[in-house]
Amino acid sequence: DVRALCASVAERRGKPIQLVGLATGSEVLGMWVATDVADLIFYEQITTRPHQDHIILHELSHLLCDHYPVISMDISALTPNLDPEMVRRVLARTTYQEAEEQEAELLASLIQNRAHQLSLAHQDGETVLDERLDSAFVNPWTPRRG
């Protein structure tokens, strides 16, 4: 579950991740806003749940890959209750370098694919998704056996 993964990442980072659905119908389907107190992941609400999940994973992947270009953008229309002084970085799909977009899209697709494989394996009683995700965060660069 994408939302459970976001909660797990937030817990491990010690900073909440808030998912915010937007009914915009605009060209920007997702956006990550990093503040001092929370990470906000905005996603297009007027789409299917699988598409929402992929948008969220894409933005979460930017966070996981440490993509931090500084962007000058007025987000007050999207977040009228958010103090603009508190926003440190805004990461929007249209402002990344192409390599960062490709990296985030690839990681989002890999996470989705792996979660699907693990859920199928769990149905067969071979493994538990939560245990595998937990172990993945211990050291993601350690090769796995089997």
Side-chain angles (χ1 to χ4, degrees):
D1 178 70
V2 170
R3 284 146 182 83
L5 177 61
C6 287
S8 178
V9 170
E11 182 179 329
R12 291 172 192 283
R13 294 179 73 235
K15 185 177 178 183
I17 295 175
Q18 296 174 359
L19 301 178
V20 182
L22 296 173
T24 62
S26 73
E27 290 183 23
V28 176
L29 298 176
M31 178 174 35
W32 166 40
V33 177
T35 72
D36 290 334
V37 295
D39 288 297
L40 307 173
I41 293 180
F42 296 90
Y43 63 94
E44 178 62 60
Q45 198 169 20
I46 306 175
T47 189
T48 64
R49 178 67 182 255
H51 191 211
Q52 289 175 3
D53 288 350
H54 190 79
I55 294 167
I56 293 167
L57 283 174
H58 179 97
E59 299 308 325
L60 183 66
S61 294
H62 281 300
L63 183 151
L64 293 171
C65 292
D66 201 26
H67 296 162
Y68 287 112
V70 176
I71 298 164
S72 173
M73 179 178 172
D74 182 13
I75 62 163
S76 59
L78 298 175
T79 59
N81 298 324
L82 185 64
D83 179 3
E85 296 296 321
M86 200 169 60
V87 178
R88 290 182 300 163
R89 296 176 287 254
V90 176
L91 300 179
R93 203 177 273 276
T94 57
T95 59
Y96 290 117
Q97 297 173 10
E98 186 175 328
E100 290 173 330
E101 275 304 308
Q102 291 172 356
E103 186 176 45
E105 193 64 21
L106 177 60
L107 182 55
S109 296
L110 289 171
I111 291 170
Q112 252 181 340
N113 185 45
R114 186 67 176 147
H116 178 70
Q117 289 174 350
L118 290 174
S119 69
L120 292 176
H122 178 64
Q123 291 172 0
D124 294 338
E126 295 175 13
T127 186
V128 177
L129 177 60
D130 290 335
E131 291 174 13
R132 296 296 298 267
L133 286 172
D134 284 343
S135 67
F137 281 102
V138 173
N139 186 350
W141 305 112
T142 302
R144 298 194 181 282
R145 296 183 189 176

